[in-house]
């Protein structure tokens, strides 16, 4: 028993006099295997170590310098309490567990148990940590997955890199806290109970009968490991033994790249059920079950690591939790303005003239675009590596020059592997930088990273290439698994390959080109890990199949990924694997158009596929549909989009927002995986199904939370609640929050053109919006960065435009503002309003106008 101390000791994070230091370890007063470190007034690190040893040293994810944080420690009879300005952390002596409370003493979440046992690798451990959660809270994050839903409360998840899934071990709750799990090995969320499966021939396995209580049930099918399960058909059914009714919890039909494990989700009445699993792959599947009661806990388990080690972030809101994650692991920077325009990409351009001619054709046809991409195989017979085959790309520097003259930015595909006959491979291999005799380099070695960057610097950046497309950064086939890398076991360091590879490029560019290419680093990559946002890397969702169901899954994947703390995501609009009749199929034309319409509201707007993806290949109808309903809308919304991503950089904000971000207490919004907010004002409900039978319209159900809403397409006001919406091929279901000022630019061909005039659409009353502008390219995080801000405020029938704050080179000193008070049929849709209510000239001095 411990007596209460009369005075809690006031401690400072690290007693040294330095301005910045690591998180401060708290003296728990007992010989414990638990370690607690205060990083800030809202971020705490907790480690449970084997035999009371020290937790691992430098983190690959979390920064190593923190400003000192004030806190006090008080010892009680059964516990010790650490108090900061925003948080109470309680260590319980008897149970060796930790709990977290807010500043008022209200319970946020607390540990229930942790386990540490030897792994199959010497000096590494299999560890798990379980927290008690509330049954009603939603849990989001973990990265990008293709299961087709969000909210992982009580749901199992296998967290390993794969083509179409990407790991980010950060989770957050609708209660406003986040947990960053600082482990790099294969990790599992919410392990279930194994259900014995019996194989009955062919592709069928069965189990049951199984008594299940009414409510939510999750069944995880684990298919294979470590990479590539085969097959493209998986169906999980439960059949009520009394009524014969069949429930389908997961149906993966004809889709490529089935992951190692996938979850089937059911909401069932009380009953007894037989289970069938149909799978046409390797057929070694196992089945695990989580009942609704599993939603009252959150568990993470890693297979090979040194200790339980996590960071707890208290944000008070989901935005606050994400801001805490980025405070710990690095900010997400504003990209060059070009990156928010349209990206033209395909598999692949075969030679220099083909690529150049495509770019010129875009300009001739006046299809807005900022970026064009060279996919793989430009190295030809030289062998896999970042070099240009002179027989097909005789003048790559001239190619870049021509693209620049036509106002294009240029991205080139680079892999983390090299053909053995290349000088790249030989230099890496001779230095010991190749993993286990494979053809993949070891990005955990800092010298290897520098060499990797130098290869692309010589062949790409020195001739003016703007960005790299870093493909297969899982790495493909997990060549690091069960082998040694520079830092130790490749099984321990399994998941952060992409983080270290994107770091290689970012570090090199920021050193060599600090005011140009390195000022706002952009890269695209197929994998991810916590902290990757600081490297300027955006994820794309991998090699996906062109089906309506895939489109639905991308909506869910995009939402969940950005609820994992990283705000930049992309996809292959139209699908990578496309149907043979794509150029003539009306169904595919509609799907492609709807996919573009969804892509408008993702951070990176990019088409790609195993086809000629240039729009004119699909005929004049598709070209008009896509340009009029999607590309023009993207460019008209750039003032809103660019301003929003400035908030991402400065505030830790998220632009493509799962509904719980803005409506955390709305239970109806918790599981919505097919609609989202884009910024604070726009609710997007993409169409992901064909037109209705014998109709030019497609319909879907959607949900509008409490509040006022305006239909972007009609100007009609909408009541909250569940409803159906029908849209023609030129319409996306978009709803604008009441009290919004939406600043829209003109139709432009690329982001280098002037954004004037501006259309100021006013929805309802009492609205405000601050427009951010800069030169689109200079280092935006520098203290001397030049920019301007203009605040628009609408109240009681008067629009006030503030004095412009700041300036920057190339700024438009005089602007034309077309003011529109939105009403039914007025100020609607993609096109500029032909008859604005007022047109005024703004020269930087405040004005007020009745509208």
């Amino acid at each position: 028993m411990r007596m209460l101390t009369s005075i809690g000791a006031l401690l400072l994070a690290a007693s040294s006099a330095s301005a910045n230091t690591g998180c401060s370890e708290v003296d728990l007063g007992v010989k414990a295997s638990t370690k607690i470190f205060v990083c800030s007034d809202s971020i705490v690190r907790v480690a449970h170590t084997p035999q009371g040893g020290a937790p691992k040293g430098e983190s690959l994810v979390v920064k190593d310098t923190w400003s000192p944080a004030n806190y006090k420690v008080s010892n009680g009879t059964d516990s010790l309490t650490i108090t900061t300005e925003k948080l109470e952390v309680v260590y319980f002596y008897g149970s060796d567990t930790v709990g977290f409370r807010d500043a008022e003493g209200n319970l946020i979440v607390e540990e229930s148990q942790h386990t540490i046992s030897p792994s199959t690798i010497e000096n590494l451990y299999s560890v798990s940590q379980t927290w008690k959660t509330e049954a009603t809270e939603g849990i989001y994050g973990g990265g990008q997955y293709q299961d087709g839903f969000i909210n992982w409360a009580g749901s199992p998840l296998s967290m390993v890199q794969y083509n179409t899934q990407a790991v980010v071990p950060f989770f957050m709750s609708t209660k406003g806290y986040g947990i960053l799990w600082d482990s790099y090995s294969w990790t599992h969320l919410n392990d279930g109970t194994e259900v014995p499966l019996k194989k009955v021939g062919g592709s069928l396995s069965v189990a049951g009968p199984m008594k299940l209580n009414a409510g939510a049930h999750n069944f995880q099918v684990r298919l294979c490991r470590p990479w590539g399960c085969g097959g493209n058909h998986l169906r999980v059914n439960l059949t009520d033994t009394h009524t014969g009714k069949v429930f389908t919890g997961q149906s993966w039909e004809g889709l490529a790249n089935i992951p190692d494990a996938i979850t089937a989700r059911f909401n069932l009445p009380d009953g007894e059920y037989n289970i069938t699993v149909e799978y046409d792959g390797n057929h070694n599947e196992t089945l695990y079950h989580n009942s609704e009661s599993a939603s009252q806990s959150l568990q993470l388990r890693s297979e090979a690591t040194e200790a339980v080690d996590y960071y707890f972030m208290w944000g008070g809101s989901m935005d606050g939790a994400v801001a805490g994650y980025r405070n710990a692991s690095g900010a997400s920077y504003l990209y060059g303005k070009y990156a928010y325009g349209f990206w033209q990409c395909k598999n692949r351009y075969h030679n220099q003239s083909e690529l150049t001619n495509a770019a010129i054709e875009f300009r001739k046809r006046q299809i807005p675009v900022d970026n064009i991409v060279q996919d793989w195989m430009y190295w030809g017979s030289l062998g896999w590596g970042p070099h240009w085959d002179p027989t097909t790309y005789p003048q790559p520097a001239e190619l870049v020059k021509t693209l620049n003259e036509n106002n294009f930015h240029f991205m080139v595909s680079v892999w983390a592997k090299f053909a053995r006959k290349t000088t790249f491979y030989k230099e890496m291999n001779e230095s010991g930088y190749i993993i286990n005799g494979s053809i993949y380099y070891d990005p955990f070695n800092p010298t290897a990273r520098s060499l990797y960057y130098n290869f692309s610097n010589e062949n790409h950046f020195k001739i003016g290439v703007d960005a790299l497309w870093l493909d297969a950064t899982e790495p493909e086939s997990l060549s690091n698994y069960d082998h040694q890398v520079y830092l130790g076991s490749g099984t321990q360091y399994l998941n952060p390959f992409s983080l270290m590879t994107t770091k290689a490029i970012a570090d090199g560019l920021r050193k060599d080109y600090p005011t140009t290419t390195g000022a706002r680093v952009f890269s695209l990559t197929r994998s991810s890990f916590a902290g990757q946002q600081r490297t300027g890397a955006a994820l794309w969702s991998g090699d996906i199949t062109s089906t309506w169901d895939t489109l639905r899954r991308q909506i869910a994947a995009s939402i969940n990924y950005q609820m994992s703390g990283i705000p930049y995501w992309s996809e292959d609009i139209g699908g990578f694997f496309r149907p043979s009749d794509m150029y003539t199929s009306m169904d595919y034309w509609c799907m492609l158009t709807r996919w573009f319409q969804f892509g408008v509201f993702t951070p990176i707007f990019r088409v790609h596929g195993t086809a000629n993806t240039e729009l004119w290949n699909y005929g004049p109808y598709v070209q008009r549909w896509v340009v009029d309903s999607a590309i023009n809308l993207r460019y008209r919304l750039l003032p809103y989009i660019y301003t929003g991503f400035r908030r991402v950089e400065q505030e830790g904000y998220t632009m493509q927002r799962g509904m719980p971000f803005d409506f955390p207490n709305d239970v109806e919004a918790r599981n919505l995986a097919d609609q989202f907010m884009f910024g604070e004002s726009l609710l997007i409900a993409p169409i992901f199904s064909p037109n209705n039978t014998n109709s030019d319209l497609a319909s879907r159900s959607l949900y509008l939370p409490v509040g006022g809403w305006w239909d972007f397409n009609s100007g009609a006001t909408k009541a909250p609640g569940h409803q159906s919406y029908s849209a023609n091929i030129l319409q996306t279901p978009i709803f604008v929050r009441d009290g919004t000022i939406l600043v829209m630019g003109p139709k432009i061909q690329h982001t280098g053109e002037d954004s004037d005039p501006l259309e100021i659409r006013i929805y309802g009353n009492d609205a405000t919006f601050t427009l951010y502008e800069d030169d689109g390219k200079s280092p935006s995080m520098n203290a001397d960065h030049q920019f301007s801000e203009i605040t628009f405020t609408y109240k009681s029938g008067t629009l006030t435009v503030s004095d412009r704050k700041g300036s920057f080179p190339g700024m438009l000193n005089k602007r034309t503002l077309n003011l529109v008070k939105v009403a039914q049929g007025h100020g609607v849709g993609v096109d500029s309003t032909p008859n604005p209510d007022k047109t005024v000239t703004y020269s930087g001095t405040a004005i007020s106008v009745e509208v």
Side-chain angles (χ1 to χ4, degrees), residues 3-196:
M3 301 301 294
L4 181 66
T5 56
S6 59
I7 301 176
L10 182 65
L11 302 176
L12 290 177
S15 58
S16 70
S18 62
N20 290 291
T21 184
C23 303
S24 175
E25 183 174 357
V26 178
D27 182 1
L28 301 182
V30 293
K31 185 178 181 180
S33 60
T34 295
K35 311 291 181 181
I36 299 177
F37 305 79
V38 178
C39 303
S40 75
D41 56 9
S42 60
I43 301 176
V44 172
R45 178 189 180 192
V46 176
H48 299 294
T49 65
Q51 292 90 42
K56 64 178 180 292
E58 181 181 357
S59 170
L60 299 182
V61 174
V62 178
K63 65 184 182 183
D64 57 5
T65 58
W66 296 80
S67 298
N70 292 329
Y71 61 92
K72 63 181 181 181
V73 177
S74 55
N75 288 318
T77 303
D78 301 312
S79 63
L80 175 145
T81 300
I82 306 158
T83 304
T84 74
E85 184 179 346
K86 297 180 180 179
L87 189 63
E88 287 184 2
V89 183
V90 183
Y91 174 65
F92 298 97
Y93 298 124
S95 59
D96 192 26
T97 60
V98 180
F100 304 93
R101 301 170 182 163
D102 65 19
E104 286 71 46
N106 301 307
L107 178 65
I108 303 170
V109 70
E110 63 183 6
E111 298 178 350
S112 58
Q113 65 173 352
H114 56 267
T115 65
I116 302 174
S117 59
S119 76
T120 57
I121 301 172
E122 187 177 1
N123 297 322
L124 295 179
Y125 299 86
S126 173
V127 306
S128 72
Q129 176 65 62
T130 305
W131 299 264
K132 301 174 189 176
T133 58
E134 295 180 4
T136 57
E137 68 183 280
I139 302 292
Y140 307 89
Q144 172 201 272
Y145 301 92
Q146 297 295 326
D147 302 71
F149 44 78
I150 62 173
N151 190 2
W152 297 101
S155 294
L157 181 64
S158 176
M159 299 172 61
V160 67
Q161 309 290 8
Y162 187 63
N163 185 349
T164 72
Q165 72 178 29
V167 176
V168 182
F170 172 73
F171 292 89
M172 63 176 174
S173 163
T174 47
K175 292 183 71 174
Y177 68 85
I179 292 172
L180 174 58
W181 183 250
D182 199 14
S183 173
Y184 316 130
S185 70
W186 201 317
T187 295
H188 303 267
L189 174 74
N190 297 331
D191 280 326
T193 302
E194 185 170 0
V195 178

Side-chain angles (χ1 to χ4, degrees), residues 272-289:
E272 189 176 69
Y273 295 87
N274 287 321
I275 306 164
T276 59
V277 178
E278 301 173 19
Y279 172 52
D280 66 346
N282 294 335
H283 205 35
N284 294 312
E285 61 273 18
T286 53
L287 185 68
Y288 296 82
H289 172 241

